[in-house]
Amino acid sequence: MKSKRLLLAFVFGLGLALALLALLGRTPDVARADPGTRYVATTGTDSLSPSQPNHCTEPITPCRTLQHAVDQAATGDEILVATGVYTCNGQAQVVRVEETVTIRGGYTTTNWSRNPISYPTTLDGEGQRRVATISGDFTPTLEGLRLTNGSGGISGGGIYALNAHPIISGCQVFSNTASLGGGVYLDRSDHTRLTGNEVYSNTASMWGGGLYLCAGHTTTLEYNDIYGNTANGERGGGVYLEQSDNATLTGNEVYNNVANSGDGGGVYLYDSDSAMLMANHVYSNTAHDDGGGLYLDGSVNATLTGNQVYSNTANSNGGGFYLKDSANA
């Protein structure tokens, strides 16, 4: 009996010792704020200190850079960005988003009221980097931002999204450059939605001067103004859309775009079955070859209804509209 008690005492003591060792060697948990609101202003700071316990989460202690706020954010956070021009410091983009957050511009720091026209929030790539990168299986929202002077290299000067599902609303995307998708590049980004944006004066050295969308099933473009964009390669001065089944373009104004050496001055649509174009105005676009306004190729069951296509120019075929290999359109 005595031996049994000694054995139990030894086992208990050993367990207690191991537990203490585990506690001593444990990495401390990092406290993280609950989902809520974060603030960014050009007058803010990214330096944490004991005197700023509510850094970025209170209007009086905003972050200085958008990236710093995004890095601190939890899923579901709303990030309010005050008026001003935001760049970055040696990064590959002004902001990289890899979480489901909402980034909303157009605020004044006086009382954090919102008016994007009176209080513009500009993300500036300074001609040296991409403006916004979105990646991963997330659904972030960009709203009321001006994204400009981005240089995306191969793809996406203004916005680059890969395998994501962004919602882009009320933004201005302008004066950006890339080989593919001078303004916006979306790759394998299903269920993306672009609503009420202005995409203008962007340039692609190849395809998709304004927007390049590839393999983005059920993508929605609605009530956007897409104008003054140029594709210097072959296809899609305003919009290039490929392998995006069930894509919907509704109520967009697509005008004054140019495909300098190929097809689809306004919209180039390829291999996108059951795509639907409704109530769009497509006018004053120019294609070097075919489809001055619209070029549709290999898109089975595509539907066009209630569109106005006028004053477009093609040097070869289909000044307004060129249709090729699209059964049951």
Side-chain angles (χ1 to χ4, degrees), residues 13 25-26 37 49 76 111 130 182 225 249 252 274 327:
R26 181 182 175 187
T37 302
S49 72
N111 56 7
R130 181 179 291 133
D225 287 350
L249 285 73
N252 300 286
S274 301

Side-chain angles (χ1 to χ4, degrees), residues 37 59 79 84 91-92 100 105 111 113 120 161 201 218 258 260 270 279 310 328:
T37 302
I79 301 170
Q91 302 301 314
T100 298
N111 56 7
S113 62
S201 299
T218 322
V258 178
N260 258 335
Y270 174 70
Y310 57 94
N328 300 315

Side-chain angles (χ1 to χ4, degrees), residues 9-87:
F10 173 76
V11 170
F12 177 78
L14 179 61
L16 181 61
L18 291 173
L20 288 171
L21 287 172
L23 286 172
L24 289 172
R26 181 182 175 187
T27 301
D29 291 334
V30 178
R32 187 170 189 180
D34 292 331
T37 302
R38 298 177 187 272
Y39 300 85
V40 182
T42 57
T43 55
T45 177
D46 291 344
S47 300
L48 294 170
S49 72
S51 64
Q52 295 172 313
N54 296 317
H55 184 65
C56 290
T57 62
E58 294 289 342
I60 59 173
T61 54
C63 294
R64 168 64 182 83
T65 63
L66 178 55
Q67 188 64 64
H68 190 69
V70 169
D71 290 343
Q72 292 192 79
T75 297
D77 272 5
E78 181 181 55
I79 301 170
L80 311 187
V81 191
T83 186
V85 178
Y86 298 84
T87 58

Side-chain angles (χ1 to χ4, degrees), residues 221-238:
L221 277 67
E222 55 187 4
Y223 309 113
N224 303 285
D225 287 350
I226 302 166
Y227 60 94
N229 303 286
T230 302
N232 285 320
E234 296 179 2
R235 303 166 183 170

Side-chain angles (χ1 to χ4, degrees), residues 147 162 180 269 282:
L147 301 100
L162 177 64
L180 303 171
L269 186 66
V282 181

Side-chain angles (χ1 to χ4, degrees), residues 58-312:
E58 294 289 342
I60 59 173
T61 54
C63 294
R64 168 64 182 83
T65 63
L66 178 55
Q67 188 64 64
H68 190 69
V70 169
D71 290 343
Q72 292 192 79
T75 297
D77 272 5
E78 181 181 55
I79 301 170
L80 311 187
V81 191
T83 186
V85 178
Y86 298 84
T87 58
C88 72
N89 185 16
Q91 302 301 314
Q93 58 277 310
V94 177
V95 63
R96 183 179 186 89
V97 184
E98 296 178 320
E99 198 157 15
T100 298
V101 295
T102 296
I103 301 173
R104 185 173 288 123
Y107 289 87
T108 172
T109 56
T110 304
N111 56 7
W112 289 91
S113 62
R114 184 170 186 261
N115 186 325
I117 296 175
S118 300
Y119 309 115
T121 297
T122 301
L123 310 185
D124 190 345
E126 302 175 293
Q128 301 176 33
R129 60 186 63 85
R130 181 179 291 133
V131 179
T133 296
I134 302 168
S135 63
D137 189 15
F138 306 107
T139 307
T141 297
L142 305 182
E143 183 178 327
L145 302 168
R146 291 161 44 91
L147 301 100
T148 188
N149 293 327
S151 178
I154 295 176
S155 51
I159 298 173
Y160 173 96
L162 177 64
N163 295 321
H165 324 287
I167 299 169
I168 302 167
S169 174
C171 291
Q172 293 179 302
V173 184
F174 63 100
S175 300
N176 303 285
T177 62
S179 294
L180 303 171
V184 179
Y185 177 95
L186 304 171
D187 187 8
R188 286 164 281 172
S189 295
D190 296 344
H191 303 286
T192 294
R193 181 177 294 273
L194 284 81
T195 303
N197 304 285
E198 287 187 73
V199 181
Y200 62 96
S201 299
N202 302 286
T203 303
S205 61
M206 293 178 63
W207 305 341
L211 300 102
Y212 177 100
L213 301 92
C214 181
H217 303 308
T218 322
T219 291
T220 300
L221 277 67
E222 55 187 4
Y223 309 113
N224 303 285
D225 287 350
I226 302 166
Y227 60 94
N229 303 286
T230 302
N232 285 320
E234 296 179 2
R235 303 166 183 170
V239 179
Y240 177 96
L241 189 67
E242 178 182 359
Q243 298 177 13
S244 298
D245 295 346
N246 299 303
T248 301
L249 285 73
T250 303
N252 300 286
E253 299 272 337
V254 183
Y255 59 97
N256 290 343
N257 302 286
V258 178
N260 258 335
S261 62
D263 307 317
V267 178
Y268 182 97
L269 186 66
Y270 174 70
D271 194 19
S272 297
D273 294 345
S274 301
M276 183 171 291
L277 285 74
M278 299 182 296
N280 301 286
H281 290 187
V282 181
Y283 57 96
S284 299
N285 302 285
T286 303
H288 182 273
D289 293 331
D290 300 328
L294 297 166
Y295 182 103
L296 269 68
D297 184 8
S299 299
V300 176
N301 296 318
T303 299
L304 291 87
T305 180
N307 302 285
Q308 296 187 36
V309 182
Y310 57 94
S311 299
N312 302 284

